[in-house]
Amino acid sequence: QVQLVESGGGLVQPGGSLRLSCAASENVGSFNAMGWYRQAPGKQRELVAVITSGGSTNYADSVKGRFTISRDNAKNTVYLQMNNLKPEDTAVYYCNARNYDYTFRVYDYWGQGTQVTVSS
């Protein structure tokens, strides 16, 4: 069973930075994709950033230019560097690992989430 453990959340003032980490029980480069999602109170979970096994990245429009996703295969860890944080970035952030089989069936694995609060 794949285990994902997030860390690095907390309270930060607007304009500040945080780096989230997601430690995986398996080689992060072995998954078809790994990503960060977030869910604010009363809202649906949304994709924030994703990195594929080939290293391609994609970001939600709301975070482009401010957030960067990366991974360290040697440490089995995926990171989300968040700069210029805004109050609307406040949410629980979840790490996701995704695989597809030969029928394109999706296998999703989730961490427990880490709270990010942006407030003065």
Side-chain angles (χ1 to χ4, degrees):
Q1 179 72 12
V2 175
Q3 293 185 333
L4 304 172
V5 179
E6 302 100 333
S7 61
L11 173 64
V12 63
Q13 292 186 342
S17 298
L18 283 175
R19 188 176 80 157
L20 304 183
S21 298
C22 172
S25 58
E26 299 181 15
N27 184 352
V28 294
S30 68
F31 296 103
N32 291 116
M34 292 202 69
W36 288 93
Y37 290 69
R38 67 186 181 187
Q39 187 167 19
K43 294 188 176 182
Q44 290 189 332
R45 191 173 297 188
E46 63 175 358
L47 176 66
V48 176
V50 63
I51 183 167
T52 69
S53 56
S56 299
T57 58
N58 196 25
Y59 298 90
D61 287 342
S62 59
V63 307
K64 282 181 181 177
R66 300 189 297 123
F67 290 12
T68 303
I69 188 170
S70 63
R71 69 173 182 233
D72 186 334
N73 291 349
K75 295 183 178 180
N76 288 345
T77 302
V78 173
Y79 303 97
L80 184 68
Q81 178 66 44
M82 305 186 293
N83 298 328
N84 190 21
L85 282 160
K86 304 176 180 181
E88 51 264 42
D89 295 318
T90 295
V92 178
Y93 284 70
Y94 296 91
C95 179
N96 168 267
R98 174 167 290 183
N99 273 335
Y100 303 91
D101 66 15
Y102 69 98
T103 69
F104 296 102
R105 177 179 175 180
V106 175
Y107 296 84
D108 274 326
Y109 306 94
W110 295 94
Q112 81 288 351
T114 185
Q115 176 70 47
V116 172
T117 302
V118 185
S119 175
S120 54

